[in-house]
């Protein structure tokens, strides 16, 4: 009987250790995600880029053409606008890669960033397509596209209010 008790205690100790490691990993993911979300709130360039993309989307400009460095859109600060578009796309590309690598907690990100990510993708898609065409790089911004499409397929559920 003592051998059976020893084996059971050992199995329980291993189980506790596994649960502890999984819990610590989950907590670390949530902390990384919270740090990212707080950093995004104070990223003035990201905020400006988002604002610029929204304005461009609602304008008469064809932002797909902006992916061509030779194209002159005859708009004030065109180069700055292009840099803004690239900045926001690169930001969400890195976020997507981090999410796929298990660094971030997807549930937290989705609850807080769903609309901005899916809308940014929708608004920037013509530019992304233009970049892929002009650079002959079908992988440009593919991780961001993966995330936006993934979330669009499984939309957020509205909370039920009591």
């Amino acid at each position: 009987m003592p051998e059976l008790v020893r084996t059971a205690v050992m199995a329980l100790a291993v189980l506790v250790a596994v649960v502890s490691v999984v819990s610590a990993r989950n907590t670390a993911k949530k902390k990384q995600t919270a740090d990212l979300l707080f950093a995004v709130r104070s990223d003035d360039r990201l905020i400006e880029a988002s604002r610029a993309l929204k304005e461009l989307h609602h304008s008469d400009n064809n932002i797909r053409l902006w992916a061509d460095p030779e194209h002159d859109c005859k708009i004030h600060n065109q180069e700055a606008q292009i840099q803004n578009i690239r900045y926001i796309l690169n930001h969400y590309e890195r976020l997507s890669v981090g999410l796929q690598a298990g660094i971030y907690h997807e549930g937290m990100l989705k609850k807080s960033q769903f609309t901005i990510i899916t809308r940014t993708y929708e608004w920037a898609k013509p530019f992304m397509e233009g970049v892929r065409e002009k650079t002959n790089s079908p992988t440009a911004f593919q991780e961001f596209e993966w995330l936006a499409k993934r979330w669009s397929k499984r939309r957020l559920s509205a909370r039920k209010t009591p």
Side-chain angles (χ1 to χ4, degrees):
M1 189 73 166
E3 186 65 31
L4 183 60
V5 170
R6 236 185 316 226
T7 303
V9 168
M10 187 63 87
L12 183 60
V14 168
L15 180 64
V16 168
V18 168
V19 168
S20 177
V21 167
V22 169
S23 177
R25 183 171 180 256
N26 196 32
T27 300
K29 277 172 102 169
K30 288 180 178 179
K31 182 177 181 338
Q32 283 293 109
T33 305
D35 290 347
L36 173 73
L37 293 174
F38 283 114
V40 165
R41 286 181 42 185
S42 61
D43 185 341
D44 292 336
R45 181 142 186 228
L46 185 64
I47 293 165
E48 175 57 33
S50 182
R51 208 174 284 134
L53 182 60
K54 180 181 180 180
E55 288 173 13
L56 288 169
H57 173 73
H58 292 296
S59 74
D60 293 333
N61 289 296
N62 180 352
I63 68 168
R64 182 185 180 111
L65 298 175
W66 290 34
D68 182 356
E70 305 296 315
H71 183 75
D72 182 10
C73 295
K74 309 259 191 275
I75 187 169
H76 175 67
N77 73 350
Q78 175 186 346
E79 187 57 36
Q81 297 286 36
I82 292 169
Q83 292 307 315
N84 278 333
I85 295 169
R86 288 185 179 281
Y87 184 83
I88 197 167
L89 292 176
N90 286 327
H91 168 79
Y92 289 122
E93 182 81 356
R94 287 188 303 272
L95 182 144
S96 299
V97 169
L99 183 62
Q100 291 172 30
I103 295 169
Y104 301 123
H105 188 274
E106 186 169 7
M108 286 176 66
L109 282 175
K110 190 172 182 179
K111 286 178 182 179
S112 63
Q113 300 287 298
F114 177 83
T115 301
I116 189 71
I117 286 178
T118 54
R119 196 172 287 158
T120 297
Y121 172 72
E122 176 188 322
W123 292 347
K125 187 176 179 188
F127 181 83
M128 293 164 55
E129 290 169 345
V131 167
R132 290 172 181 161
E133 180 183 304
K134 287 297 170 189
T135 62
N136 196 26
S137 177
T139 61
F141 310 114
Q142 75 176 1
E143 305 311 327
F144 171 48
E145 181 174 51
W146 168 85
L147 180 62
K149 285 182 174 182
R150 173 183 170 94
W151 285 5
S152 291
K153 285 179 190 170
R154 292 184 281 142
R155 303 189 72 77
L156 278 178
S157 302
R159 280 195 180 269
K160 295 178 180 145
T161 55

